[in-house]
Amino acid sequence: MNNPSPRDDAPIAAARNLEGARQLLTEAVTINRPAADLFAFWRDPANLAAIMENVTAIEPLDAGRSRWHVKAPGDRTVSWISEITHEEPGKALTWQSAEGSDVTHSGRITFSDAGPRGTVVRATIAWEPPGGALGTLLAKLFQREPRIQTRRDLRRFKQAMEAGEIATGARNARERDKREEQ
């Protein structure tokens, strides 16, 4: 019988054997702020809960671990413990989900100098979609697919860091709904 080789113990985004990682994405944004400021903001999980649209809560457990709760398709919530596996202050942060998590994933975020334009923030994330191909399809239909969310969250991060707030259409939608009721 032919036994597949086990995945090496590197985070999924850096592993040579990606047998379990069915999805890999990289998204980037340039933010007009120094890398040290952006890294410091990103390193605090409480800040991330405020800018990530589908994150319902992030509970810090210790200096390198936190429990994440994220909206999933069908009014569900998935959770996992995220462990920081490597950190270069002001430059990069690498993490992976702990064993037994609802979602198996890992990632790396880097902060690179872009000269007078600020900093290029690049997120690379690898994950195993819960529910396989059907789970991926449902996530896309409900706008909860990691590629869509990463792109949106990086845009929200840019807004928060450059403008100090995140633009939203929520007030406009409420005003429109009020007018329609009258």
Side-chain angles (χ1 to χ4, degrees):
M1 181 181 268
N2 206 0
N3 287 340
S5 61
R7 187 175 72 79
D8 56 37
D9 63 355
I12 294 171
R16 286 185 212 127
N17 177 357
L18 294 177
E19 180 181 314
R22 296 191 186 108
Q23 304 287 324
L24 179 67
L25 70 88
T26 298
E27 296 289 338
V29 65
T30 301
I31 302 175
N32 193 13
R33 291 284 296 269
D37 293 353
L38 300 175
F39 179 90
F41 182 94
W42 196 273
R43 183 61 178 85
D44 182 352
N47 292 333
L48 298 179
I51 64 165
M52 294 183 168
E53 189 174 27
N54 282 329
V55 173
T56 58
I58 302 174
E59 305 164 32
L61 301 174
D62 58 39
R65 297 178 326 125
S66 53
R67 180 179 304 279
W68 290 58
H69 302 275
V70 178
K71 295 177 197 171
D75 290 329
R76 292 184 25 232
T77 299
V78 294
S79 65
W80 62 83
I81 293 176
S82 178
E83 301 173 335
I84 293 175
T85 57
H86 182 73
E87 181 172 346
E88 293 175 61
K91 295 183 180 188
L93 196 61
T94 305
W95 70 90
Q96 68 183 26
S97 57
E99 188 140 344
S101 296
D102 290 346
V103 178
T104 301
H105 76 284
S106 69
R108 177 175 175 88
I109 188 149
T110 60
F111 304 88
S112 307
D113 183 44
R117 293 179 32 223
T119 304
V120 175
V121 179
R122 182 176 319 279
T124 302
I125 301 170
W127 76 99
E128 292 181 42
L134 179 60
T136 299
L137 177 63
L138 285 173
K140 284 181 182 180
L141 289 173
F142 286 93
Q143 300 287 303
R144 303 217 196 284
E145 195 262 337
R147 182 173 308 279
I148 294 167
Q149 282 312 123
T150 301
R151 191 174 309 126
R152 287 179 179 170
D153 291 343
L154 284 176
R155 189 170 45 239
R156 292 165 62 88
F157 181 43
K158 176 180 176 74
Q159 291 173 359
M161 297 309 295
E162 289 182 350
E165 63 185 2
I166 298 170
T168 177
R171 181 170 185 267
N172 294 339
R174 276 195 311 269
E175 294 298 319
R176 184 189 64 240
D177 291 345
K178 272 189 202 175
R179 284 193 302 268
E180 288 175 0
E181 288 174 2
Q182 294 176 352

